[in-house]
Amino acid sequence: MNLHHLELFYYVSKHGGIAAAVTHMPYGIQQPGLSAQIIQLEKSLGKTLFARRPFALTPHGEELYRSIAPFFDGLDGLETRMKETGAGFLSITAPPTLLRDHLPKVVAEVQQVFPRLRLRIREANPIQAISLLFTEQIDVAVSLRVEKTPKDLHMQSLASLPMVLLVPAKASWRNTEQVFEEVRRGTITLISLPHREAITQTFLQELQGRGLDWSAGIEVNSLQLIQSYVLMGFGVGLSVRIPSQPFPADLRALPLKGFPSLEVGAFWRNPLSLPAKHFVETLHRYIKKLARTLTKGE
């Protein structure tokens, strides 16, 4: 693919159309020229990327935009960041639950050692995190380990999260085997994260090994939405049990016995700076302490 064509498509997608993209390009380009090059990109891919009037990305266009957006988003301010490499800077990504409930405590401890450290913290899923590491936009990614994690990434294992099926507390199902009987009869809907996510892929692969085919009937983009749709009676949700984050009382979590757990780790590609190394070590200690506390509580 032509990198310039991808850049043009990024601006068209980000600003909602060709005319809007022309006004936001960092260099001059006319609307007919931009349109012609987008058409060339679509021809090279053999896919229509968006509807023109009204503007709307097709599923192929959405997939392409998700893939290239982290790279082009990261170019903004890159020159400044490159010039400030000696100023004590650390860029991190993590899932939203970790960012909200746990990372502030870890960051506070790191800042006690490096009080002038400048931080950039953002949310990212596993695929986005790998992309950001390889485009050198982040130093450390805290993420689920995906099946095809590149071998040249370094990893510090942090935790193992068991998968569960979520059902309404008032439901008659008491274990996953009862749920799977409904699956065999084709009478129940699976609510999950998109197929590309590590949890969904791991679950479906294990099911296939057991002779079951249960593709998601409803895909959502967060674990919180899975809980909401289960509570509204749309089906059974696929989730994970996360330390210090209990499920709502009106939901029941059914353990998936014999299913693999999901591994959470800290990933990096380049040699770690002192602040980055301290962050990984501090996070590792924090997760181990949290796990011991929860075990005692049980």
Side-chain angles (χ1 to χ4, degrees), residues 193-210:
L193 296 178
H195 186 272
R196 66 180 181 277
E197 297 287 351
I199 177 176
T200 309
Q201 292 183 4
T202 302
F203 175 71
L204 294 180
Q205 287 172 5
E206 181 66 23
L207 275 188
Q208 289 174 1
R210 298 173 181 230

Side-chain angles (χ1 to χ4, degrees), residues 191-194 197 218-227 229:
I191 306 167
S192 74
L193 296 178
E197 297 287 351
I218 300 176
E219 290 187 355
V220 296
N221 64 359
S222 74
L223 296 177
Q224 287 71 28
L225 278 176
I226 290 175
Q227 295 182 18
Y229 274 75

Side-chain angles (χ1 to χ4, degrees), residues 237-271:
L238 173 63
S239 189
V240 291
R241 193 179 295 279
I242 300 174
S244 78
Q245 187 180 358
F247 294 111
D250 41 7
L251 283 177
R252 183 187 304 132
L254 305 179
L256 281 160
K257 297 180 180 179
F259 280 66
S261 296
L262 298 177
E263 189 174 7
V264 179
F267 298 85
W268 64 95
R269 187 184 181 205
N270 299 320

Side-chain angles (χ1 to χ4, degrees), residues 22-50:
V22 168
T23 65
H24 289 88
M25 292 296 296
Y27 49 84
I29 187 171
Q30 298 298 314
Q31 187 168 334
L34 193 157
S35 181
Q37 293 187 65
I38 292 295
I39 291 173
Q40 289 181 32
L41 175 61
E42 290 181 316
K43 286 182 178 179
S44 70
L45 295 175
K47 305 292 184 184
T48 299
L49 298 175
F50 55 85

